[in-house]
Amino acid sequence: MTQLSRLDLEANKELDLAEKARVKTARSRAEKWLPWNTALVGLIATVTIVKGADEFSKLETWAQLTTGSLIVLGLALLGAGLFRFYSAAFGDPFNRELIERQPIETLHVRLIDHRRRADENAHDDLRTGIGLTIVGVLFVVIATGISWFGIADGSGTKATCVFEDGAVIVGVTGSSIDVKELAEGFTIGACPS
């Protein structure tokens, strides 16, 4: 067996410290994403509730279904992203790792291997969480665009007109007009095409 120099021992100690720091760094990065993602999920859920069904009921059926589906998928993806951030920051909550007695031979190698796997898992969870969050936000943005601009072109809405002796006096976008009383010779009906 060869004699190790002081420099080799110091390098080994530095390498060991770096290995320990890898997992902490990955977990620290994930912890920074947690409040941002949590706030985003809360904001989107709040806006969806405040906007309410009244606004969605004004949309055409295809737009209602698309908007609703995109919001549900977006929130589900954001929730999955949040779970992955928690897993990256604190470890997999469903994996209970037990510390068992092991033979001392090659223990250092197994410890390094375990740290590397934990680091890789944390980085994978972080990357997946970021990806899920981006796609979830994209779905919600598309849904918001559809709900805000889905009926802007007036397609699917009918115009109601006020007629005087059969001639159009005024047209209003909508399928009905609330009128208390009409003077003689005036009528209300669908505008001619």
Side-chain angles (χ1 to χ4, degrees):
M1 187 165 160
T2 61
Q3 183 74 16
L4 297 175
S5 73
R6 182 180 56 82
L7 293 175
D8 288 335
L9 292 173
E10 286 177 13
N12 187 48
K13 187 176 181 179
E14 281 187 43
L15 180 62
D16 193 43
L17 291 173
E19 285 293 327
K20 288 178 185 176
R22 284 176 62 168
V23 177
K24 287 181 183 178
T25 301
R27 295 194 188 285
S28 174
R29 288 178 186 157
E31 285 179 31
K32 289 175 178 55
W33 279 85
L34 281 171
W36 179 84
N37 189 282
T38 304
L40 192 60
V41 171
L43 176 69
I44 290 170
T46 302
V47 168
T48 303
I49 291 168
V50 168
K51 187 166 173 71
D54 185 45
E55 293 294 321
F56 292 117
S57 65
K58 295 176 184 174
L59 296 171
E60 293 181 21
T61 304
W62 72 267
Q64 289 176 353
L65 294 173
T66 304
T67 301
S69 298
L70 286 171
I71 287 174
V72 168
L73 283 172
L75 286 173
L77 289 170
L78 287 169
L82 189 59
F83 175 79
R84 294 302 290 257
F85 287 134
Y86 272 104
S87 293
F90 305 112
D92 184 354
F94 301 112
N95 184 8
R96 206 177 96 203
E97 293 183 11
L98 299 175
I99 299 174
E100 298 176 10
R101 292 292 250 173
Q102 298 184 12
I104 228 102
E105 299 84 31
T106 69
L107 182 60
H108 185 69
V109 173
R110 288 183 302 222
L111 179 62
I112 288 174
D113 199 39
H114 174 77
R115 286 179 186 154
R116 286 187 178 155
R117 273 195 319 270
D119 175 62
E120 288 169 8
N121 290 342
H123 276 96
D124 288 346
D125 284 337
L126 180 60
R127 269 191 301 277
T128 303
I130 291 170
L132 289 169
T133 298
I134 290 169
V135 174
V137 167
L138 181 65
F139 279 10
V140 172
V141 166
I142 292 169
T144 303
I146 291 171
S147 70
W148 285 357
F149 306 112
I151 58 170
D153 62 353
S155 63
T157 60
K158 298 178 182 174
T160 304
C161 289
V162 178
F163 300 91
E164 180 181 13
D165 296 327
V168 175
I169 302 292
V170 68
V172 179
T173 303
S175 57
S176 66
I177 300 174
D178 290 334
V179 176
K180 200 172 207 178
E181 188 176 323
L182 280 175
E184 194 173 317
F186 288 89
T187 58
I188 296 176
C191 292
S193 301

mmCIF file of all heavy atoms in Angstrom, residues 72-105:
data_model
loop_
_atom_site.group_PDB
_atom_site.id
_atom_site.type_symbol
_atom_site.label_atom_id
_atom_site.label_comp_id
_atom_site.label_asym_id
_atom_site.label_seq_id
_atom_site.Cartn_x
_atom_site.Cartn_y
_atom_site.Cartn_z
ATOM 1 N N VAL A 72 -57.936 23.773 -15.387
ATOM 2 C CA VAL A 72 -57.795 22.578 -14.545
ATOM 3 C C VAL A 72 -56.439 21.918 -14.784
ATOM 4 O O VAL A 72 -55.723 21.578 -13.831
ATOM 5 C CB VAL A 72 -58.957 21.586 -14.803
ATOM 6 C CG1 VAL A 72 -58.675 20.238 -14.183
ATOM 7 C CG2 VAL A 72 -60.258 22.154 -14.261
ATOM 8 N N LEU A 73 -56.058 21.755 -16.062
ATOM 9 C CA LEU A 73 -54.754 21.161 -16.367
ATOM 10 C C LEU A 73 -53.611 22.037 -15.855
ATOM 11 O O LEU A 73 -52.632 21.526 -15.305
ATOM 12 C CB LEU A 73 -54.607 20.961 -17.874
ATOM 13 C CG LEU A 73 -55.341 19.770 -18.468
ATOM 14 C CD1 LEU A 73 -55.281 19.806 -19.988
ATOM 15 C CD2 LEU A 73 -54.752 18.470 -17.958
ATOM 16 N N GLY A 74 -53.744 23.349 -16.047
ATOM 17 C CA GLY A 74 -52.708 24.263 -15.576
ATOM 18 C C GLY A 74 -52.520 24.186 -14.072
ATOM 19 O O GLY A 74 -51.388 24.106 -13.574
ATOM 20 N N LEU A 75 -53.624 24.192 -13.328
ATOM 21 C CA LEU A 75 -53.517 24.090 -11.863
ATOM 22 C C LEU A 75 -52.972 22.731 -11.442
ATOM 23 O O LEU A 75 -52.196 22.638 -10.481
ATOM 24 C CB LEU A 75 -54.878 24.360 -11.216
ATOM 25 C CG LEU A 75 -55.318 25.820 -11.219
ATOM 26 C CD1 LEU A 75 -56.761 25.950 -10.719
ATOM 27 C CD2 LEU A 75 -54.397 26.668 -10.367
ATOM 28 N N ALA A 76 -53.360 21.671 -12.155
ATOM 29 C CA ALA A 76 -52.831 20.339 -11.835
ATOM 30 C C ALA A 76 -51.322 20.290 -12.073
ATOM 31 O O ALA A 76 -50.562 19.745 -11.251
ATOM 32 C CB ALA A 76 -53.536 19.278 -12.670
ATOM 33 N N LEU A 77 -50.870 20.873 -13.178
ATOM 34 C CA LEU A 77 -49.432 20.905 -13.460
ATOM 35 C C LEU A 77 -48.682 21.760 -12.435
ATOM 36 O O LEU A 77 -47.587 21.392 -11.998
ATOM 37 C CB LEU A 77 -49.178 21.426 -14.874
ATOM 38 C CG LEU A 77 -49.571 20.475 -16.005
ATOM 39 C CD1 LEU A 77 -49.496 21.181 -17.344
ATOM 40 C CD2 LEU A 77 -48.700 19.230 -15.987
ATOM 41 N N LEU A 78 -49.271 22.885 -12.054
ATOM 42 C CA LEU A 78 -48.630 23.722 -11.031
ATOM 43 C C LEU A 78 -48.555 22.987 -9.698
ATOM 44 O O LEU A 78 -47.559 23.077 -8.978
ATOM 45 C CB LEU A 78 -49.380 25.044 -10.884
ATOM 46 C CG LEU A 78 -49.187 26.031 -12.031
ATOM 47 C CD1 LEU A 78 -50.184 27.174 -11.921
ATOM 48 C CD2 LEU A 78 -47.778 26.561 -12.045
ATOM 49 N N GLY A 79 -49.616 22.250 -9.367
ATOM 50 C CA GLY A 79 -49.595 21.451 -8.136
ATOM 51 C C GLY A 79 -48.548 20.349 -8.198
ATOM 52 O O GLY A 79 -47.831 20.104 -7.222
ATOM 53 N N ALA A 80 -48.441 19.694 -9.355
ATOM 54 C CA ALA A 80 -47.415 18.650 -9.519
ATOM 55 C C ALA A 80 -46.021 19.270 -9.443
ATOM 56 O O ALA A 80 -45.100 18.686 -8.850
ATOM 57 C CB ALA A 80 -47.608 17.925 -10.849
ATOM 58 N N GLY A 81 -45.862 20.457 -10.030
ATOM 59 C CA GLY A 81 -44.582 21.153 -9.944
ATOM 60 C C GLY A 81 -44.237 21.496 -8.507
ATOM 61 O O GLY A 81 -43.092 21.358 -8.067
ATOM 62 N N LEU A 82 -45.240 21.929 -7.751
ATOM 63 C CA LEU A 82 -45.034 22.257 -6.343
ATOM 64 C C LEU A 82 -44.577 21.021 -5.563
ATOM 65 O O LEU A 82 -43.656 21.090 -4.746
ATOM 66 C CB LEU A 82 -46.334 22.815 -5.757
ATOM 67 C CG LEU A 82 -46.286 23.419 -4.379
ATOM 68 C CD1 LEU A 82 -45.312 24.576 -4.323
ATOM 69 C CD2 LEU A 82 -47.675 23.902 -3.974
ATOM 70 N N PHE A 83 -45.194 19.882 -5.845
ATOM 71 C CA PHE A 83 -44.797 18.629 -5.198
ATOM 72 C C PHE A 83 -43.339 18.297 -5.524
ATOM 73 O O PHE A 83 -42.561 17.904 -4.648
ATOM 74 C CB PHE A 83 -45.711 17.476 -5.616
ATOM 75 C CG PHE A 83 -45.273 16.151 -5.065
ATOM 76 C CD1 PHE A 83 -45.548 15.815 -3.757
ATOM 77 C CD2 PHE A 83 -44.561 15.260 -5.849
ATOM 78 C CE1 PHE A 83 -45.121 14.600 -3.235
ATOM 79 C CE2 PHE A 83 -44.130 14.049 -5.343
ATOM 80 C CZ PHE A 83 -44.418 13.710 -4.027
ATOM 81 N N ARG A 84 -42.968 18.469 -6.789
ATOM 82 C CA ARG A 84 -41.589 18.161 -7.187
ATOM 83 C C ARG A 84 -40.597 19.119 -6.523
ATOM 84 O O ARG A 84 -39.491 18.720 -6.162
ATOM 85 C CB ARG A 84 -41.437 18.204 -8.708
ATOM 86 C CG ARG A 84 -42.216 17.123 -9.457
ATOM 87 C CD ARG A 84 -41.861 15.700 -9.059
ATOM 88 N NE ARG A 84 -40.564 15.281 -9.474
ATOM 89 C CZ ARG A 84 -40.308 14.481 -10.499
ATOM 90 N NH1 ARG A 84 -41.298 14.005 -11.220
ATOM 91 N NH2 ARG A 84 -39.071 14.155 -10.800
ATOM 92 N N PHE A 85 -40.991 20.391 -6.346
ATOM 93 C CA PHE A 85 -40.118 21.331 -5.634
ATOM 94 C C PHE A 85 -39.934 20.897 -4.188
ATOM 95 O O PHE A 85 -38.831 20.948 -3.652
ATOM 96 C CB PHE A 85 -40.677 22.756 -5.676
ATOM 97 C CG PHE A 85 -40.548 23.416 -7.012
ATOM 98 C CD1 PHE A 85 -41.609 24.103 -7.557
ATOM 99 C CD2 PHE A 85 -39.363 23.374 -7.731
ATOM 100 C CE1 PHE A 85 -41.507 24.723 -8.790
ATOM 101 C CE2 PHE A 85 -39.245 23.995 -8.959
ATOM 102 C CZ PHE A 85 -40.316 24.665 -9.488
ATOM 103 N N TYR A 86 -41.013 20.468 -3.545
ATOM 104 C CA TYR A 86 -40.902 19.982 -2.166
ATOM 105 C C TYR A 86 -40.015 18.743 -2.108
ATOM 106 O O TYR A 86 -39.195 18.587 -1.197
ATOM 107 C CB TYR A 86 -42.280 19.676 -1.570
ATOM 108 C CG TYR A 86 -42.908 20.873 -0.921
ATOM 109 C CD1 TYR A 86 -43.935 21.562 -1.545
ATOM 110 C CD2 TYR A 86 -42.491 21.332 0.316
ATOM 111 C CE1 TYR A 86 -44.516 22.675 -0.959
ATOM 112 C CE2 TYR A 86 -43.055 22.443 0.913
ATOM 113 C CZ TYR A 86 -44.073 23.107 0.270
ATOM 114 O OH TYR A 86 -44.639 24.208 0.854
ATOM 115 N N SER A 87 -40.181 17.843 -3.080
ATOM 116 C CA SER A 87 -39.335 16.644 -3.111
ATOM 117 C C SER A 87 -37.873 17.008 -3.305
ATOM 118 O O SER A 87 -36.983 16.411 -2.688
ATOM 119 C CB SER A 87 -39.776 15.706 -4.239
ATOM 120 O OG SER A 87 -41.049 15.180 -3.978
ATOM 121 N N ALA A 88 -37.621 17.980 -4.181
ATOM 122 C CA ALA A 88 -36.233 18.404 -4.415
ATOM 123 C C ALA A 88 -35.652 19.064 -3.171
ATOM 124 O O ALA A 88 -34.475 18.867 -2.847
ATOM 125 C CB ALA A 88 -36.168 19.368 -5.602
ATOM 126 N N ALA A 89 -36.471 19.835 -2.464
ATOM 127 C CA ALA A 89 -35.974 20.578 -1.306
ATOM 128 C C ALA A 89 -35.810 19.702 -0.065
ATOM 129 O O ALA A 89 -34.872 19.882 0.701
ATOM 130 C CB ALA A 89 -36.908 21.748 -0.992
ATOM 131 N N PHE A 90 -36.731 18.756 0.121
ATOM 132 C CA PHE A 90 -36.738 18.005 1.386
ATOM 133 C C PHE A 90 -36.659 16.495 1.220
ATOM 134 O O PHE A 90 -36.724 15.769 2.194
ATOM 135 C CB PHE A 90 -38.000 18.358 2.180
ATOM 136 C CG PHE A 90 -38.151 19.834 2.412
ATOM 137 C CD1 PHE A 90 -39.153 20.548 1.805
ATOM 138 C CD2 PHE A 90 -37.252 20.520 3.214
ATOM 139 C CE1 PHE A 90 -39.292 21.916 1.996
ATOM 140 C CE2 PHE A 90 -37.373 21.880 3.420
ATOM 141 C CZ PHE A 90 -38.390 22.583 2.816
ATOM 142 N N GLY A 91 -36.569 16.025 -0.015
ATOM 143 C CA GLY A 91 -36.511 14.582 -0.251
ATOM 144 C C GLY A 91 -37.891 14.030 -0.561
ATOM 145 O O GLY A 91 -38.915 14.671 -0.329
ATOM 146 N N ASP A 92 -37.900 12.832 -1.105
ATOM 147 C CA ASP A 92 -39.152 12.177 -1.489
ATOM 148 C C ASP A 92 -39.938 11.790 -0.230
ATOM 149 O O ASP A 92 -39.456 11.000 0.581
ATOM 150 C CB ASP A 92 -38.836 10.929 -2.320
ATOM 151 C CG ASP A 92 -40.070 10.244 -2.853
ATOM 152 O OD1 ASP A 92 -41.203 10.646 -2.503
ATOM 153 O OD2 ASP A 92 -39.913 9.292 -3.631
ATOM 154 N N PRO A 93 -41.152 12.338 -0.057
ATOM 155 C CA PRO A 93 -41.903 12.039 1.173
ATOM 156 C C PRO A 93 -42.402 10.595 1.233
ATOM 157 O O PRO A 93 -42.780 10.124 2.294
ATOM 158 C CB PRO A 93 -43.080 13.018 1.117
ATOM 159 C CG PRO A 93 -43.240 13.343 -0.325
ATOM 160 C CD PRO A 93 -41.872 13.249 -0.928
ATOM 161 N N PHE A 94 -42.381 9.880 0.103
ATOM 162 C CA PHE A 94 -42.884 8.511 0.076
ATOM 163 C C PHE A 94 -41.765 7.476 0.167
ATOM 164 O O PHE A 94 -42.023 6.294 0.178
ATOM 165 C CB PHE A 94 -43.707 8.279 -1.191
ATOM 166 C CG PHE A 94 -44.872 9.216 -1.307
ATOM 167 C CD1 PHE A 94 -44.906 10.179 -2.295
ATOM 168 C CD2 PHE A 94 -45.917 9.164 -0.399
ATOM 169 C CE1 PHE A 94 -45.967 11.061 -2.391
ATOM 170 C CE2 PHE A 94 -46.985 10.042 -0.487
ATOM 171 C CZ PHE A 94 -47.004 10.991 -1.479
ATOM 172 N N ASN A 95 -40.533 7.938 0.202
ATOM 173 C CA ASN A 95 -39.401 7.029 0.278
ATOM 174 C C ASN A 95 -38.776 7.133 1.665
ATOM 175 O O ASN A 95 -38.128 8.114 1.988
ATOM 176 C CB ASN A 95 -38.366 7.383 -0.804
ATOM 177 C CG ASN A 95 -37.219 6.401 -0.838
ATOM 178 O OD1 ASN A 95 -37.239 5.371 -0.180
ATOM 179 N ND2 ASN A 95 -36.207 6.737 -1.606
ATOM 180 N N ARG A 96 -39.010 6.139 2.466
ATOM 181 C CA ARG A 96 -38.483 6.126 3.828
ATOM 182 C C ARG A 96 -37.143 5.404 3.827
ATOM 183 O O ARG A 96 -37.083 4.187 3.742
ATOM 184 C CB ARG A 96 -39.473 5.399 4.733
ATOM 185 C CG ARG A 96 -39.399 5.832 6.151
ATOM 186 C CD ARG A 96 -40.431 5.134 6.961
ATOM 187 N NE ARG A 96 -39.760 3.986 7.559
ATOM 188 C CZ ARG A 96 -40.367 2.912 7.982
ATOM 189 N NH1 ARG A 96 -41.639 2.781 7.870
ATOM 190 N NH2 ARG A 96 -39.689 1.935 8.526
ATOM 191 N N GLU A 97 -36.084 6.165 3.869
ATOM 192 C CA GLU A 97 -34.755 5.568 3.856
ATOM 193 C C GLU A 97 -34.339 5.226 5.285
ATOM 194 O O GLU A 97 -34.291 6.095 6.148
ATOM 195 C CB GLU A 97 -33.748 6.536 3.233
ATOM 196 C CG GLU A 97 -33.985 6.778 1.771
ATOM 197 C CD GLU A 97 -32.930 7.674 1.168
ATOM 198 O OE1 GLU A 97 -31.908 7.951 1.819
ATOM 199 O OE2 GLU A 97 -33.141 8.100 0.027
ATOM 200 N N LEU A 98 -34.047 3.974 5.483
ATOM 201 C CA LEU A 98 -33.601 3.522 6.797
ATOM 202 C C LEU A 98 -32.080 3.429 6.807
ATOM 203 O O LEU A 98 -31.461 3.030 5.828
ATOM 204 C CB LEU A 98 -34.195 2.152 7.118
ATOM 205 C CG LEU A 98 -35.727 2.094 7.176
ATOM 206 C CD1 LEU A 98 -36.178 0.662 7.390
ATOM 207 C CD2 LEU A 98 -36.237 2.969 8.297
ATOM 208 N N ILE A 99 -31.520 3.812 7.905
ATOM 209 C CA ILE A 99 -30.073 3.668 8.065
ATOM 210 C C ILE A 99 -29.815 2.310 8.692
ATOM 211 O O ILE A 99 -30.290 2.033 9.795
ATOM 212 C CB ILE A 99 -29.497 4.804 8.939
ATOM 213 C CG1 ILE A 99 -29.756 6.146 8.276
ATOM 214 C CG2 ILE A 99 -28.006 4.570 9.175
ATOM 215 C CD1 ILE A 99 -29.365 7.327 9.120
ATOM 216 N N GLU A 100 -29.109 1.481 7.955
ATOM 217 C CA GLU A 100 -28.816 0.138 8.439
ATOM 218 C C GLU A 100 -27.317 0.015 8.721
ATOM 219 O O GLU A 100 -26.510 0.680 8.099
ATOM 220 C CB GLU A 100 -29.234 -0.896 7.390
ATOM 221 C CG GLU A 100 -30.724 -0.877 7.103
ATOM 222 C CD GLU A 100 -31.087 -1.844 5.985
ATOM 223 O OE1 GLU A 100 -30.233 -2.642 5.583
ATOM 224 O OE2 GLU A 100 -32.226 -1.781 5.524
ATOM 225 N N ARG A 101 -27.009 -0.868 9.618
ATOM 226 C CA ARG A 101 -25.593 -1.148 9.898
ATOM 227 C C ARG A 101 -24.984 -1.792 8.666
ATOM 228 O O ARG A 101 -25.587 -2.663 8.051
ATOM 229 C CB ARG A 101 -25.458 -2.129 11.068
ATOM 230 C CG ARG A 101 -25.881 -1.582 12.394
ATOM 231 C CD ARG A 101 -25.014 -0.560 12.886
ATOM 232 N NE ARG A 101 -24.183 -0.808 14.024
ATOM 233 C CZ ARG A 101 -23.303 0.116 14.363
ATOM 234 N NH1 ARG A 101 -23.138 1.184 13.664
ATOM 235 N NH2 ARG A 101 -22.567 -0.065 15.418
ATOM 236 N N GLN A 102 -23.820 -1.314 8.294
ATOM 237 C CA GLN A 102 -23.142 -1.849 7.124
ATOM 238 C C GLN A 102 -21.693 -2.123 7.476
ATOM 239 O O GLN A 102 -21.131 -1.477 8.370
ATOM 240 C CB GLN A 102 -23.210 -0.850 5.965
ATOM 241 C CG GLN A 102 -24.617 -0.575 5.519
ATOM 242 C CD GLN A 102 -24.638 0.352 4.313
ATOM 243 O OE1 GLN A 102 -23.621 0.596 3.691
ATOM 244 N NE2 GLN A 102 -25.812 0.841 3.994
ATOM 245 N N PRO A 103 -21.098 -3.042 6.740
ATOM 246 C CA PRO A 103 -19.673 -3.282 6.993
ATOM 247 C C PRO A 103 -18.874 -2.028 6.660
ATOM 248 O O PRO A 103 -19.229 -1.271 5.770
ATOM 249 C CB PRO A 103 -19.308 -4.426 6.040
ATOM 250 C CG PRO A 103 -20.521 -4.709 5.225
ATOM 251 C CD PRO A 103 -21.647 -3.900 5.730
ATOM 252 N N ILE A 104 -17.808 -1.830 7.397
ATOM 253 C CA ILE A 104 -17.019 -0.606 7.258
ATOM 254 C C ILE A 104 -16.243 -0.571 5.944
ATOM 255 O O ILE A 104 -15.998 0.500 5.412
ATOM 256 C CB ILE A 104 -16.097 -0.479 8.485
ATOM 257 C CG1 ILE A 104 -16.178 0.865 9.045
ATOM 258 C CG2 ILE A 104 -14.643 -0.617 8.145
ATOM 259 C CD1 ILE A 104 -16.658 1.568 9.946
ATOM 260 N N GLU A 105 -15.911 -1.732 5.385
ATOM 261 C CA GLU A 105 -15.166 -1.750 4.132
ATOM 262 C C GLU A 105 -16.008 -1.082 3.043
ATOM 263 O O GLU A 105 -17.192 -1.361 2.909
ATOM 264 C CB GLU A 105 -14.842 -3.192 3.679
ATOM 265 C CG GLU A 105 -13.995 -3.996 4.632
ATOM 266 C CD GLU A 105 -14.836 -4.649 5.717
ATOM 267 O OE1 GLU A 105 -16.000 -4.996 5.469
ATOM 268 O OE2 GLU A 105 -14.316 -4.788 6.825
#
